[in-house]
Amino acid sequence: AAGVIQSPRHLIKEKRETATLKCYPIPRHDTVYWYQQGPGQDPQFLISFYEKMQSDKGSIPDRFSAQQFSDYHSELNMSSLELGDSALYFCASSPPQGSYEQYFGPGTRLTVT
Amino acid sequence: GNSVTQMEGPVTLSEEAFLTINCTYTATGYPSLFWYVQYPGEGLQLLLKATKADDKGSNKGFEATYRKETTSFHLEKGSVQVSDSAVYFCALQKTSYDKVIFGPGTSLSVIP
């Protein structure tokens, strides 16, 4: 079965640089969620999109922005990177008609040096 | 606000031992409850879920029962294996399109 695809899987950036993370949801899933998991931490919700519109916003820094495109894939753009942005970034998708189940991708591990 | 609390780890068990990881939640209404598992170096996998009170979720020998009266969703397994070594996250979701709120995670190590 198709799963959520995230790219790249690993990314190394320097402070003050910009990073773009991509998420490809499971086909026919219309909702995408982004989570950030710091080292040894639980995942924290950043932002979500439903039918290409932002549906909810969590503790996402102003330096970050995201969008969902017409093909439902989503991108998380991160600017002015800081050391504290080093984390595992998960994307999850869920199908229409509210199944409660979010399917998580393998994550992108971002390291800021 | 909505939150999840679970027992602190790390938990170390011998193979074939009984496992319990306690989880309690705070939420208004009737959230859905989940256990996610994260194996070393991997992403999050849904282990089991329960969407209403008294529901029992089960998968791969793991079980958890949604207890509204005690606001709990404890994870149990009768006989753990080395391959169960992972971090386990208890989580809740208020509505079907809502974000997932995770507990702090409990690290489990099973030794032969």
Side-chain angles (χ1 to χ4, degrees):
Chain A
V4 176
I5 297 172
Q6 290 188 246
S7 69
R9 292 293 307 278
H10 302 273
L11 190 59
I12 299 174
K13 291 285 185 178
E14 295 187 355
K15 281 195 306 183
R16 292 179 289 279
E17 284 192 321
T18 297
T20 297
L21 279 54
K22 296 184 179 183
C23 168
Y24 298 87
I26 293 171
R28 291 180 293 282
H29 283 200
D30 57 2
T31 307
V32 168
Y33 308 80
W34 286 97
Y35 295 84
Q36 178 192 55
Q37 185 181 28
Q41 304 293 313
D42 55 293
Q44 295 290 317
F45 170 73
L46 292 177
I47 196 166
S48 62
F49 293 88
Y50 167 65
E51 282 290 343
K52 293 152 279 185
M53 299 287 289
Q54 181 181 309
S55 53
D56 195 6
K57 193 172 181 180
S59 49
I60 182 170
D62 292 340
R63 300 177 288 108
F64 294 9
S65 65
Q67 58 181 321
Q68 185 180 31
F69 295 85
S70 57
D71 63 351
Y72 295 100
H73 94 273
S74 178
E75 294 183 4
L76 178 65
N77 297 293
M78 311 159 71
S79 63
S80 303
L81 288 169
E82 302 173 357
L83 295 178
D85 296 329
S86 295
L88 191 55
Y89 290 83
F90 287 109
C91 171
S93 71
S94 63
Q97 297 162 6
S99 79
Y100 270 106
E101 193 161 326
Q102 293 185 16
Y103 296 78
F104 282 80
T108 293
R109 185 170 296 282
L110 172 67
T111 303
V112 181
T113 61
Chain B
N2 305 312
S3 64
V4 177
T5 304
Q6 58 184 104
M7 63 186 286
E8 293 196 19
V11 174
T12 302
L13 295 174
S14 297
E15 207 165 19
E16 299 183 3
F18 185 86
L19 168 71
T20 299
I21 301 178
N22 291 334
C23 169
T24 57
Y25 67 91
T26 300
T28 55
Y30 300 90
S32 288
L33 302 176
F34 306 85
W35 278 99
Y36 284 88
V37 59
Q38 186 173 32
Y39 296 101
E42 297 188 12
L44 290 164
Q45 298 178 27
L46 178 64
L47 181 60
L48 53 83
K49 67 178 180 182
T51 58
K52 60 183 187 295
D54 299 325
D55 265 3
K56 177 187 281 189
S58 61
N59 186 26
K60 299 182 181 179
F62 291 89
E63 293 183 340
T65 301
Y66 189 144
R67 301 289 187 199
K68 181 68 177 175
E69 63 276 13
T70 54
T71 62
S72 65
F73 193 54
H74 305 320
L75 181 68
E76 296 182 337
K77 186 174 185 182
S79 175
V80 293
Q81 305 300 313
V82 172
S83 57
D84 294 326
S85 298
V87 179
Y88 292 82
F89 292 96
C90 185
L92 70 81
Q93 192 175 356
K94 285 294 300 295
T95 65
S96 57
Y97 287 107
D98 203 1
K99 59 187 174 288
V100 175
I101 296 172
F102 292 88
T106 301
S107 176
L108 169 67
S109 292
V110 179
I111 54 177

